[in-house]
């Protein structure tokens, strides 16, 4: 495998938070290499540093020490605007809490990265956003505002936004954390399809072993360090899981109970 | 982010908080309105003053009856006039090369009547020089005899002839050419109209300059008022540099005529019209200075209001800023977005201010009866000023927003 296949290389990265007098070492020397086309799950107990790592990978934050190479560039000492450019054009980020602009329609939310990257003309932006939203089953919700959409729909808008610039890496910090099992499985099936059909590199944080088992690789973190890293022997198919789940009728029971 | 998107984003944010936007721009509205109204009124007042003094004859030197004593008290003003024919003649003779003319002038209230009705007006008595000095011209009628001014001979003979102003014409001779007709006064005197004056409109003090009957000063004093002294003595210097010399020489001559010894108070005083013009100018300048100060303070207060609201807005929208940063907004994008908001906010205030100020200026011009002018320069200056206020006071909040840390913004509740 050639080195150009490596899209993310993390070398001995440490992150120290200073909150008042106390120093919290959220990452203590993380090493990680991620290749193009990987579908990676990051697992670990709460407070183990998963989100901290994701924020660094997403160029939202900078490491206290160590190096982070994104597609060969050492971005650990990139300036504010260089990082912004990478975030806008080469990385897509999906948050647990969606993070959509509340007073803005779905399509305008999806177009937002294009407004800053200036790669397309306004008309093209709209076309692309529309196409992507339609692909995620929201073709009839283009002008709805986030508060007019369900959680799953909002997360799909957020995913469309993260993919609009055709990023090299899609990062998702507990994307299904706020969703019910069925909607979570739907999102997961979407990710799996992106990874299989488009070769989209995806890094996803999850607490759920079943979800992790749908990914091709699983990284376990404890106390700011990577303690386990293995390939999933037989990745499960999220679409099949979803079908089985719907067939079992468990969701109906759940829905009736609630 | 291009200009269009920046503008769009900014207007969306502002329209989400309409009341707040309106209240915030109010300070700037007031400031700009004051500036616009002031500049326009200043123009109007100045052109009115220029016009008024121009119509009077800018190089007039006027002697007034009465005096200012060493204690500052004015006496003698109501004791009748101070000037005689001889005074005027002496000045005319001795200052021949310096002046265009000189005349004693007296006024007396009257009520004149014809078959068409009666009208309360004033007699203005003078010599033919008055017409020349005050730039009166004769009105031409399409038919009938042509008018003329009265002559020195008619002054000497105390003739009962008159030249009448436009207002008097409209009251007493609404349908006919008055030249050659006769009007009658309450006291029973009859005057033959020999000329009609072209209208001049209101003076800068607000009086109707066309509401008068001009008769020889001798006729006025002997036949109408019964006084033997005139209230005013008017002379016109040949050029503007001569006004002060004429003023000084006139004072000397009249003192000699009135046998006033050195050290004794005068029973008259002489002023040039230029002094009044510069006084009026000083007054309008002081007034506009005052309004300018108020406008500046209002703009500063308005600007601080903009800054305050923008700071609130930045805090309220921390999460939005975080989202924008997360999807690729650069420092200049966020800076531009908030700066655009501040500038638009200020310019909304500015545009309303321009409209309001123009309205106020129009109302002032209507009541002050002067020309209503809003120059494009003042509108442009007002728009630029409000934009500048927006930039100046919006910069700090915008800068603050653009320097925020993306992760901290996203974590902000
Ligand atoms: N801004 C911060 N200031 C101080 N300490 C922080 C900050 N952010 C995270 N930490 C600390 O760093 C450690 C790692 O936090 P992180 O959010 O990365 O954990 P996590 O693995 O994502 O947990 P969870 O599964 O609950 O989301 C925790 O101990 C946390 O308290
Ligand atoms: Mg986390």
């Amino acid at each position: 495998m050639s080195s150009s296949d490596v899209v993310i290389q993390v070398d001995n990265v440490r992150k120290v938070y200073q909150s008042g007098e106390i120093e919290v070492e959220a990452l203590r020397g993380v090493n990680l290499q991620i290749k193009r086309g990987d579908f990676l799950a990051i697992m670990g107990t709460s407070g183990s540093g998963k989100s901290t790592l994701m924020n660094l990978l997403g160029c939202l934050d900078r490491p206290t020490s160590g190096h982070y190479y994104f597609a060969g560039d050492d971005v650990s000492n990139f300036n504010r605007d260089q990082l912004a450019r990478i975030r806008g054009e080469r990385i897509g980020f999906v948050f647990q809490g969606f993070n959509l602009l509340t007073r803005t329609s779905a399509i305008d939310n999806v177009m937002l990265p294009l407004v800053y990257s200036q790669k397309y003309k306004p008309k093209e932006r709209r076309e692309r956003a529309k196409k992507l939203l339609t692909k995620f089953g929201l073709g009839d919700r283009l002008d709805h505002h986030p508060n007019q959409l369900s959680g799953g729909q909002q997360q799909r808008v957020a995913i469309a936004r993260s993919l609009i610039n055709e990023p090299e890496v899609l990062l998702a910090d507990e994307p299904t954390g706020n969703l019910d099992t069925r909607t979570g499985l739907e999102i997961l099936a979407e990710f799996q399809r992106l990874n299989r059909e488009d070769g989209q590199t995806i890094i996803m944080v999850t607490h759920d072993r079943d979800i992790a088992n749908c990914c091709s690789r699983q990284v376990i973190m404890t106390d700011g360090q990577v303690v386990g890293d293995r390939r999933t022997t037989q990745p499960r198919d999220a679409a099949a899981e979803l079908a089985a789940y719907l067939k079992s009728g468990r969701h109906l029971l759940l829905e009736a109970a609630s | 982010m291009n200009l269009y998107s920046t503008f769009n984003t900014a207007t969306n944010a502002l329209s989400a908080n309409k009341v707040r936007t309106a209240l915030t721009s109010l300070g700037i509205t007031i400031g700009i309105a004051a500036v616009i109204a002031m500049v326009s009124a200043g123009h109007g007042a100045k052109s009115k003053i220029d016009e008024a003094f121009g119509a009077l004859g800018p190089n007039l030197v006027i002697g007034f009856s009465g005096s200012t004593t060493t204690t500052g008290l004015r006496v003698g003003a109501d004791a009748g006039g101070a000037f005689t024919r001889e005074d005027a003649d002496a000045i005319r003779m001795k200052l021949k090369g310096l002046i265009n003319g000189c005349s004693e002038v007296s006024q007396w209230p009257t009520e004149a009547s014809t078959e068409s009705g009666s009208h309360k007006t004033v007699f203005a008595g003078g010599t033919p020089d008055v017409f020349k000095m005050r730039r009166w011209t004769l009105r031409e009628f399409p038919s009938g005899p042509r008018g003329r001014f009265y002559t020195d001979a008619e002054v000497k003979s105390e003739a009962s002839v008159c030249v009448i102003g436009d207002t008097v014409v409209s009251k007493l001779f609404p349908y006919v050419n008055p030249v050659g007709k006769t009007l009658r006064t309450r006291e029973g005197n009859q005057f033959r109209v020999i000329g009609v004056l072209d209208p001049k409109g209101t003076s800068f003090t607000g009086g109707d300059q066309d509401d008068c009957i001009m008769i020889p000063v001798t006729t006025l004093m002997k036949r109408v008022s019964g006084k033997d002294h005139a209230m005013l003595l008017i002379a016109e210097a040949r050029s503007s540099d001569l006004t002060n010399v004429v003023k000084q020489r006139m004072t000397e001559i009249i003192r000699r005529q009135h046998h006033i010894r050195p050290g004794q108070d005068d029973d008259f005083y002489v002023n040039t019209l230029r002094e009044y013009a510069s006084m009026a100018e000083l007054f309008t300048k002081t007034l506009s200075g005052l309004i300018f100060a108020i406008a500046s303070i209002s703009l500063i207060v308005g600007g601080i209001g903009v800054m305050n609201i923008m700071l609130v807005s930045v805090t309220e929208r921390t999460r939005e800023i975080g989202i924008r940063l997360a999807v690729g907004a650069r420092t200049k994008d966020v800076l531009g977005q908030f700066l655009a908001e501040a500038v638009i906010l200020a310019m909304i205030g500015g545009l309303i201010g321009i409209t309001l100020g123009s309205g106020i200026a129009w109302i002032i011009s209507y009541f002050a009866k002067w020309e209503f002018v809003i120059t494009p320069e003042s509108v442009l200056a007002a728009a630029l000023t409000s934009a500048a206020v927006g930039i100046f006071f919006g910069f700090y909040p915008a800068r603050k927003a653009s320097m925020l840390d993306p992760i901290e913004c996203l974590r902000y509740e």
Side-chain angles (χ1 to χ4, degrees), chain A residues 17 55 60-61 80-81 84-85 87-88 95 97 99-101 103 112-113 115-118 122 125 161, chain B residues 1-2 5 16 317 319-320 323-331 333 337 402-404 406-407 410-411:
Chain A
Y17 288 115
N55 292 341
L60 287 162
D61 211 350
R80 238 182 114 81
D81 285 350
R85 211 184 165 85
R87 288 197 297 269
F95 303 87
N99 275 336
L100 297 172
L101 293 182
R103 288 194 306 250
L112 196 60
V115 169
Y116 292 117
S117 72
Q118 291 280 299
R125 291 179 206 159
R161 181 181 66 188
Chain B
M1 200 150 142
N2 64 13
S5 316
R317 286 152 64 196
R319 215 180 164 78
E320 176 195 325
I323 294 170
R324 289 179 183 278
L325 289 171
V327 301
R330 272 153 290 182
T331 312
D333 295 323
Q337 181 191 336
S402 74
M403 295 312 276
L404 289 172
I407 276 298
L410 288 172
R411 217 177 266 138

Side-chain angles (χ1 to χ4, degrees), chain A residues 17 19 24 26 44-53 174 207, chain B residues 411:
Chain A
Y17 288 115
S19 52
V24 181
T45 51
S46 187
S48 56
K50 304 182 295 294
S51 293
T52 305
L53 178 62
E174 298 189 50
H207 281 289
Chain B
R411 217 177 266 138

